RNA sequence: GGGCGAUUAGCUCAACGGCAGAGCUACAGACUCUUAAUCUGUUGGUUCGGGGUUCGAAUCCCCGAUCGCUCACCA
């Protein structure tokens, strides 16, 4: 059974799936794992025809705790410690910092077909929705302290309260400590030494904790959200899911203060991104936005969900990884088509369910696959009419959908070549020097190149087909197997054993250059 | 030091108590203009090591190794 269907099958009654994110900056591609995991669980529940809602919260009352290195430090340092919804937007088109980065993230959601009901913590606080929870946690601060102590062995002072107000003097929320509560107002101090990354202003006073004047600490806030929204399923990254970790603490608080059972939980693993291959100099990297601009949505979903949540995913946008992703997807598509041809309403196996849940829409979109790695190769051949080439190499005539898929892949392949490919992953023509690897050529191969140079020199029609014929017939005439002949040619120009169709390749080069190079290689020791 | 997770073919992963598998790679063939293409086939395993439970263990238990994450605050 597919992992998400297992979770769906274990539930009873109406389900509320929840996930959330602090919009502290650009979102790394790894953050998409949680998003996709929850989306797939949501879809699995729908597929099982169980009543379900999917919520996504933006924790924009959290404090700005560092200035990302891609922002102007001087401009944002003054806002350290303030709620993200009160920090100015770093760019056009958003009212504030939190909205700016969360809407960037939501564009990716939209692209991936993830459509949860979105809510903002600022609204929950300011509209007073969390007031009853704030009151209850303040009244029962001792129970919260107990939970912290028992679960994660963290000591809290006797007069510690699970609440932080926004300082009325300096606007920071991270530095305030509440030390008293009279049922209507709390007494707070904005402490200079409360946080390592920012100093409080030293102000203090009595203030109402309600209607957006402050927030609950994260672990406590989590509980309030669960109860307010009726959350029944919420997974968390494994960093939160350790024994004694934040999820454990939140669970304990929910049990202690409300006597209720916490939502279903299971940790999910990270996505490990091979950092060295990332080209930061080209300004591209592994942000969720960048990767979603590179990969077609169903491929990105496929990457995230075919692996069960508790297994780590290794992903780098290098040749090996990215071509494999496309190939695996195509393999699944072909398997599905075969199944479809043999049965009316086929039962989907586990791998095909991964394909199903990868779709942005409701049905699996089938097409005639055209190998992605071949496209990467073809795009590097100068002056090649790629569409004609695709047509020629496809078994069946391509229909409208096929072309859509191919065109999308051409775009991806080109973008990958431009922004992500390492030099050694690209086709390199050696114009100025003879590739080193020609040194290993055998005597017969050198004789062949020499003969080929003579034949080509006399060739009148410098054109792909004719060149291909000449390369081939020369090898026949000398009795040298094509398996030896062609690599000799490729090595002379590319330094590799293989390459694009040799005739075409040479036809794009100057005749004099080709002849000279062949002779140079032939006589070199 | 404590905790959690992982470790299966060269690589990426599947199998989750019932014959250890797939894709890619590699290798070998086929296609008598044949070159990043296509097709066929083959190789490849002490399931990290050691012990135990079981009729039966990659799977469950114990000990150990390696790797990753985590264990003040914040999230």
């Amino acid at each position: 059974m597919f992992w998400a269907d297992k979770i769906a099958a274990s539930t009873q009654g109406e389900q509320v799936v929840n996930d959330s994110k602090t919009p502290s900056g650009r979102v790394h591609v790894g953050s998409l794992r949680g998003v996709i995991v929850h989306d797939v669980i949501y879809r699995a529940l729908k597929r099982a025809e169980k009543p379900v809602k999917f919520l996504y919260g933006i924790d924009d009352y959290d404090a700005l705790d560092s200035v990302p290195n891609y922002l102007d430090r001087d401009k944002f340092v003054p806002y350290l410690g303030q709620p993200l919804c009160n920090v100015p937007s770093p760019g056009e088109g958003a009212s504030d910092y939190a909205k700016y980065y969360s809407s960037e993230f939501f564009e990716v959601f939209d692209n991936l077909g993830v459509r949860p009901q979105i809510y903002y913590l600022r609204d929950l606080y300011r509209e007073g929705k969390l007031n009853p929870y704030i009151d209850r946690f303040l009244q029962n601060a001792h129970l919260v302290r107990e939970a912290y102590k028992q679960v994660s062995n963290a000591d809290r002072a006797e007069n510690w309260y699970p609440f932080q107000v926004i300082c009325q003097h300096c606007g920071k929320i991270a530095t305030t400590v509440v030390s008293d509560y009279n049922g209507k107002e709390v007494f707070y101090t904005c402490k200079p030494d409360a946080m390592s990354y920012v100093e409080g202003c030293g102000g203090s006073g009595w203030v109402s904790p309600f209607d957006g004047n402050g927030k609950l600490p994260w672990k406590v806030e989590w509980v309030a959200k669960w109860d307010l929204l009726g959350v029944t399923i919420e997974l968390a990254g494994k960093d939160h899911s350790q024994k004694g970790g934040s999820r454990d603490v939140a669970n304990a608080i929910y049990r202690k203060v409300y006597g209720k059972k916490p939502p279903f939980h299971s940790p999910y693993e990270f996505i490990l991104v091979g950092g060295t291959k990332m080209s930061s100099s080209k300004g591209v990297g592994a942000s969720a936005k960048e990767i979603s601009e590179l990969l077609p949505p169903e491929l990105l979903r496929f990457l995230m969900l075919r692996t069960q949540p508790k297994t780590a995913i290794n992903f780098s946008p290098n040749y090996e990884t990215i071509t494999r992703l496309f190939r695996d997807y195509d393999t699944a598509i072909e398997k599905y088509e075969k199944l479809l041809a043999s049965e009316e309403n086929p039962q989907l196996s586990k791998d095909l369910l991964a394909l199903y849940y990868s779709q942005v829409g409701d049905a699996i979109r089938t097409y005639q696959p055209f190998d992605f790695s071949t496209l990467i190769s073809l795009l590097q051949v100068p002056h090649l009419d790629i569409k004609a080439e695709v047509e020629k190499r496809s078994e069946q005539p391509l229909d409208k959908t096929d072309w859509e898929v191919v065109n999308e892949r051409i775009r991806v392949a080109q973008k990958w070549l431009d922004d992500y490919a390492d030099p050694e992953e690209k086709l390199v023509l050696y114009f100025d020097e003879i590739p080193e690897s020609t040194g290993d050529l055998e005597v017969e191969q050198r004789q062949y190149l020499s003969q080929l140079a003579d034949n080509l020199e006399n060739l009148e029609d410098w054109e792909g087909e004719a060149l291909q014929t000449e390369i081939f017939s020369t090898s026949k005439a000398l009795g040298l197997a094509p398996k030896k002949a062609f690599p000799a040619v490729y090595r002379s120009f590319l330094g590799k054993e293989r390459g694009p169709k040799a005739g075409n390749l040479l036809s794009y080069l100057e005749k004099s250059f080709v002849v000279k190079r062949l002779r140079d290689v032939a006589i070199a020791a």
Side-chain angles (χ1 to χ4, degrees), chain A residues 155-183:
Chain A
D155 280 311
R156 294 287 132 116
E158 274 301 299
N159 61 348
W160 177 87
Y161 285 85
F163 197 76
Q164 291 187 295
V165 303
I166 299 172
C167 179
Q168 301 195 295
H169 307 283
C170 69
K172 294 189 192 78
I173 195 168
T175 48
T176 59
V177 175
V178 167
S179 54
D180 204 356
Y181 178 53
N182 63 16

Side-chain angles (χ1 to χ4, degrees), chain A residues 273-281 284 286 315-318 420 422-424:
Chain A
V273 177
T276 54
K277 296 271 180 173
M278 283 316 145
S279 169
S280 54
S281 61
V284 295
F315 176 78
S316 324
N318 56 28
Y420 293 90
D422 273 359
E424 65 263 27

Side-chain angles (χ1 to χ4, degrees), chain A residues 56 149 160 212 219 240 285 380 393 401 422 428 448 460:
Chain A
Y56 201 93
K149 177 68 185 164
W160 177 87
K219 295 168 201 176
H240 298 315
Q380 294 181 85
R393 287 169 183 251
T401 308
D422 273 359
V428 178
Y448 166 74
E460 288 184 8

